[in-house]
Amino acid sequence: MADNLLVVKGLKQYYAAKGDFGQKAGYVKAVDGVDFEVRRGEVFGIVGESGCGKSTLGKSICKLIEPTEGSILLDGEEISKYTPSQMRPIRKKIQMVFQDPYASLNPRMSVRDIVAEPLIIHGLAKTRQETDAKVIDLLRRVGLDDYHANRYPHEFSGGQRQRIGIARALAVQPQLIIADEPVSALDVSIQSQVLNLMNELKKANNLTYIFVAHDLSVVEHISDRVGVMYLGNFVEVADKYNLYQNPLHPYTRALLSAVPIPDPKAKKDRIILEGSIPSALNPPSGCKFHTRCPQCMERCKTEVPPKYQVGDNHYVYCHLYDTEDAKKEAKKAEEAVVK
Ligand code: SF4
């Protein structure tokens, strides 16, 4: 059995919505009963269009927002109901890196103080001398120079600021880092530098990542397994080779068909989805994707598709895989995937 660092079951994150006159207008189901696990040492990518609930899912797991319902088992410990004070020691195990490195760094604090703060909060450095030495070590590990410690966030480029955010996350020697769109605010050339740095740090520090992004190419670059989200739920979860070379869910296929390919002569049939993502306040019945699905069947409108296993590491939530023949077909295609 895989050694899971994180096991999430039935996680829900609902927000009460208010109508025009302040009256209760139901719940926005940002995350709607999600199950998945993250294995120790892997990068689990979560991908989907904006508004699909992927960032909310990351924040719920970290308990930056209180989950409405569900279980979060981190390193064997159930943390979903933990109070902020119970969470304090857990924060050493789980850290977040945010999309906008400028907004997440206090502009009035020097880089030294930003990186030192978690060391002091968690009692990981006793003296000023020890703190300074650890800060310098962390800055070097993320490719920054010693003199950067005395500078302020506005003096850095976006890529450098993200390195500071990563150094701060690394300070407490976490086991799991949840990176929420960590490179989407950066230029493409800088994106690959930060992704390579994250890869190197993962190997050097035995880290596990949850990598949340809307960019499928970025997720493919860094992930071992990928989950595709739509309207608060996963629709397909597979290892990256299977997901990218043998996508099965109609939504995954549509998303991947829109990714540009570098060869201008190569042709790719783009699947255009009708309409936009429905509101999470009033999601469609049955399969939430049925209003946009080119292969929608009658039962899709009323029956929520269960999780079908179609390969060793390949799961899809779609009624098209309800028959043994369909599963066999999918498995056959999976065997042809080049890893
Ligand atoms: Fe399309 Fe039906 Fe599959 Fe949903 S369950 S993705 S509507 S075929």
Side-chain angles (χ1 to χ4, degrees):
M1 209 178 97
D3 180 14
N4 294 325
L5 176 61
L6 179 80
V7 180
V8 172
K9 281 196 184 135
L11 194 71
K12 291 184 180 172
Q13 190 70 57
Y14 290 0
Y15 300 107
K18 292 217 167 105
D20 291 345
F21 303 103
Q23 79 279 23
K24 233 179 162 185
Y27 290 94
V28 174
K29 298 173 178 171
V31 175
D32 196 13
V34 159
D35 300 326
F36 72 107
E37 69 292 318
V38 180
R39 298 167 195 159
R40 223 175 276 275
E42 78 168 346
V43 180
F44 183 71
I46 301 180
V47 76
E49 291 167 283
S50 62
C52 71
K54 56 191 190 304
S55 292
T56 308
L57 177 59
K59 289 187 189 119
S60 309
I61 294 165
C62 246
K63 280 178 61 77
L64 291 182
I65 42 180
E66 219 29 61
T68 310
E69 207 179 295
S71 147
I72 304 167
L73 207 64
L74 176 70
D75 201 17
E77 193 171 353
E78 172 57 68
I79 62 167
S80 61
K81 304 275 182 308
Y82 273 12
T83 59
S85 63
Q86 285 174 309
M87 271 307 288
R88 186 168 281 207
I90 304 297
R91 301 236 174 267
K92 270 200 280 189
K93 293 187 180 180
I94 182 168
Q95 285 284 306
M96 250 189 118
V97 172
F98 296 95
Q99 173 181 6
D100 183 348
Y102 196 61
S104 60
L105 303 175
N106 187 334
R108 290 197 193 85
M109 285 167 80
S110 68
V111 169
R112 185 255 172 218
D113 290 345
I114 288 170
V115 179
E117 193 174 50
L119 293 169
I120 295 163
I121 290 173
H122 292 285
L124 297 171
K126 302 279 178 263
T127 61
R128 185 166 177 102
Q129 213 177 11
E130 192 188 351
T131 308
D132 286 343
K134 286 195 169 176
V135 168
I136 295 297
D137 174 53
L138 283 159
L139 292 182
R140 287 179 187 170
R141 276 156 65 188
V142 299
L144 293 172
D145 289 316
D146 299 6
Y147 68 88
H148 285 136
N150 298 320
R151 305 241 164 126
Y152 287 80
H154 72 269
E155 298 176 72
F156 292 89
S157 66
Q160 286 174 317
R161 287 199 288 259
Q162 199 52 290
R163 286 171 191 264
I164 299 166
I166 294 170
R168 187 185 152 90
L170 282 180
V172 295
Q173 298 174 311
Q175 295 178 23
L176 174 65
I177 291 185
I178 300 180
D180 183 12
E181 300 270 14
V183 297
S184 59
L186 307 177
D187 291 345
V188 176
S189 58
I190 309 295
Q191 283 188 354
S192 53
Q193 289 174 16
V194 173
L195 288 175
N196 291 341
L197 170 71
M198 288 184 72
N199 249 332
E200 285 160 23
L201 291 170
K202 178 185 162 288
K203 285 185 203 139
N205 299 281
N206 293 322
L207 291 166
T208 303
Y209 291 148
I210 293 179
F211 192 95
V212 177
H214 67 279
D215 185 328
L216 283 127
S217 313
V218 166
V219 171
E220 183 181 15
H221 183 84
I222 195 159
S223 305
D224 299 303
R225 284 191 311 132
V226 179
V228 180
M229 274 188 92
Y230 184 79
L231 260 188
N233 294 98
F234 282 115
V235 295
E236 185 163 359
V237 179
D239 71 45
K240 84 164 162 196
Y241 299 103
N242 288 323
L243 192 104
Y244 281 80
Q245 292 182 48
N246 182 30
L248 297 176
H249 195 282
Y251 178 61
T252 316
R253 286 185 175 160
L255 277 186
L256 284 171
S257 79
V259 175
I261 35 179
D263 181 356
K265 287 189 209 121
K267 271 208 161 174
K268 192 153 125 182
D269 290 330
R270 181 149 183 207
I271 304 166
I272 310 281
L273 293 176
E274 301 283 319
S276 50
I277 299 192
S279 160
L281 179 59
N282 191 16
S285 58
C287 171
K288 288 182 182 172
F289 187 56
H290 87 252
T291 51
R292 300 171 78 198
C293 180
Q295 286 161 278
C296 177
M297 304 172 282
E298 209 41 47
R299 66 183 290 202
C300 305
K301 297 175 186 168
T302 51
E303 286 177 44
V304 177
K307 182 180 184 177
Y308 295 107
Q309 180 162 11
V310 288
D312 289 340
N313 274 312
H314 204 153
Y315 302 91
V316 60
Y317 297 74
C318 171
H319 293 308
L320 291 172
Y321 301 92
D322 192 9
T323 65
E324 284 314 308
D325 282 353
K327 282 184 204 150
K328 268 189 213 146
E329 266 310 297
K331 178 98 179 134
K332 215 159 81 190
E334 187 168 304
E335 277 156 13
V337 163
V338 188
K339 301 200 176 179

